[in-house]
Amino acid sequence: MRFSNQPKEALKVKSAPLGREFLESQLPRLLEDQVDLISYRRDASVYPAGRPQAAFRATSTDEVVQVVKIALQRKLPVYVWGAGSTYAGGVNPSSGGIALDVSPMNRILAIDRTRAVVLVEPGVTYGALLEALRPHGLTVGIVPLTGPSGTVGGTISSHGLGTGSPRFQGTGDEVAGLEVVLADGEILCTGSAVLKEAGFFQRYAVGPDLTGLFLGANGAFGVITKIALWTHPIPAHVETMALGFADYPTAANFIAHCQERELFRNVWYGAGYDKAAVAARIAGAAPAPDFCLGLDLRGEPEDVAADRRRLTQAARGYGGDEYPIFNDVFFSKLRRDFSFWYGYAGYFSRSMCALLMTSMESSTMPRFFALLTRFRADYPEFTWGAGTVLCRRGLHGAVIMFYDEQRQWEAARQACIACCEHLLRIGCVPYKTGKVWASLMDNFPAYFKLLQKLKTALDPQRLLAPDNLAL
């Protein structure tokens, strides 16, 4: 994996001249002042910042169509923005062009209790969505760890952080369908909504699942303008617990045991933390286990109580047990308040963090945390953390590196290169890809070749989010 050695500016601008007078006549709200454009240069990732030539805050699908058509006519790249809080560089305008901000598209369009679907625009935040659903006795299955401020559009287009669930698998599985503006300005609806009279109620319809093409693609194949999510009744009872284990292999065996027997069936969220993260949160109040698993159980009170007993008993069979202090001090508050994701680490001495997200088979977890130990030894100048999120099968894993951006940015990027390469070697697959993992796409030759063919077919000028997924 290689990053450019150039400064943290756009690596190059491939787009045509802006054509200011023409664009201003077509898009009177176009932002061109460099002060206005600062916030559109980069997300929270370690990937180099870009330099957009302009930005536009769209308020409707029609305006998105207008911007895309003008960009095609002027050969200007388009990078889609939401909250800009992701960690994969997907929104960074590495080729200049227009930053298309869809955060003003923040309407909740429909709550359909019969179909169990809520239809939203991409700029809707999870905080606003949960508040709107609550009076109806409804909720959504997965909320990203960017908390209430994360947008629905940004989460599904980038495989948002912490979006696994033992009950619901992943955020993508909770999407019933999409409205997408393609590179030529055509509007596509997926799933059952391919038939206008039918609307969104079934993801798999007519032919292949086209919804999945746009999930995690960071805008490379189209601009998502509407999202239909499945809704669920608010559970009658919510309870959190934490289990401590003496080492990673026994913890991994416990997780695999529970997944195989579906003992996590009422666990809406589960996350694993290494000893350093646990110790930082409990501040020496008790000895920290090598691994701690936090579980958020929801359902009828008697079902939750029975599952808790079964999980505790199973953990004891693998040398673990309940570890209530971590639940009381941190995990219960995390799930109650949806506090920002890195709060668990307790590392606030660095200005920024790099984050690499992967998917792995449960038995890979010990090797995953062994890599963390290696990186702490090889790169002691950084503060390292890692965590895992449970899915119905397998895990999501995140390696987190805190660094001082003013002094350590280039060194941090080089450390990320080594980390990415080692993660692949132990069987960890990139999950939140964007640009950070893009130069590793040749590790998946057949898959990458097909993505290139799809990109050529859907976006022959390669104007939508160029460089994402190395496309």
Side-chain angles (χ1 to χ4, degrees), residues 49 57 168 302:
R57 290 172 54 81
F168 302 108
E302 60 273 18

Side-chain angles (χ1 to χ4, degrees), residues 60-105:
S60 67
T61 297
D62 288 343
E63 288 190 342
V64 171
V65 170
Q66 185 182 16
V67 170
V68 169
K69 286 184 174 180
I70 290 172
L72 179 63
Q73 181 181 352
R74 302 297 300 175
K75 292 184 171 57
L76 290 167
V78 175
Y79 293 89
V80 186
W81 274 74
S85 59
T86 58
Y87 283 80
V91 300
N92 294 18
S94 52
S95 295
I98 299 175
L100 175 56
D101 185 350
V102 296
S103 62
M105 297 174 63

Side-chain angles (χ1 to χ4, degrees), residues 237-435:
H237 181 68
V238 178
E239 191 170 317
T240 59
M241 64 184 297
L243 297 167
F245 294 88
D247 55 62
Y248 299 118
T250 54
N253 289 336
F254 165 77
I255 291 170
H257 168 89
C258 293
Q259 289 176 330
E260 179 184 349
R261 290 161 178 78
E262 297 193 347
L263 298 183
F264 292 140
R265 58 186 172 273
N266 285 320
V267 177
W268 284 42
Y269 178 79
Y273 306 88
D274 75 326
K275 185 173 185 175
V278 175
R281 298 315 300 164
I282 65 174
D290 275 9
F291 181 80
C292 192
L293 183 65
L295 301 173
D296 178 337
L297 298 92
R298 304 186 179 203
E300 295 300 323
E302 60 273 18
D303 294 334
V304 170
D307 279 357
R308 180 168 188 153
R309 288 193 298 270
R310 280 191 286 264
L311 289 167
T312 301
Q313 182 179 5
R316 288 170 180 164
Y318 288 88
D321 207 340
E322 291 205 36
Y323 189 64
I325 188 170
F326 186 70
N327 181 60
D328 296 341
V329 170
F330 170 68
F331 190 74
S332 63
K333 297 180 176 61
L334 173 77
R335 299 307 296 163
R336 182 191 67 206
D337 302 333
F338 289 113
S339 54
F340 198 68
W341 68 270
Y342 59 65
Y344 84 83
Y347 302 132
F348 298 101
S349 59
R350 303 291 192 266
S351 66
M352 286 291 289
C353 76
L355 186 144
L356 303 170
M357 279 189 64
T358 70
S359 294
M360 73 188 83
E361 200 271 328
S362 299
S363 65
T364 303
M365 190 178 77
R367 286 179 287 166
F368 172 78
F369 280 106
L371 271 185
L372 177 65
T373 301
R374 172 174 177 170
F375 287 123
R376 282 173 171 153
D378 290 349
Y379 302 96
E381 65 271 29
F382 307 121
T383 302
W384 293 86
T388 55
V389 172
L390 299 183
C391 301
R392 188 180 299 123
R393 294 293 185 268
L395 309 168
H396 291 159
V399 174
I400 312 159
M401 178 184 65
F402 292 80
Y403 64 98
D404 186 321
E405 190 171 49
Q406 284 293 108
R407 298 184 299 105
Q408 297 178 311
W409 182 76
E410 180 59 32
R413 292 198 303 142
Q414 296 305 318
C416 281
I417 293 172
C419 188
C420 289
E421 293 173 343
H422 282 287
L423 285 168
L424 286 180
R425 289 174 195 157
I426 66 169
C428 292
V429 182
Y431 175 66
K432 192 178 181 69
T433 309
K435 296 185 184 72

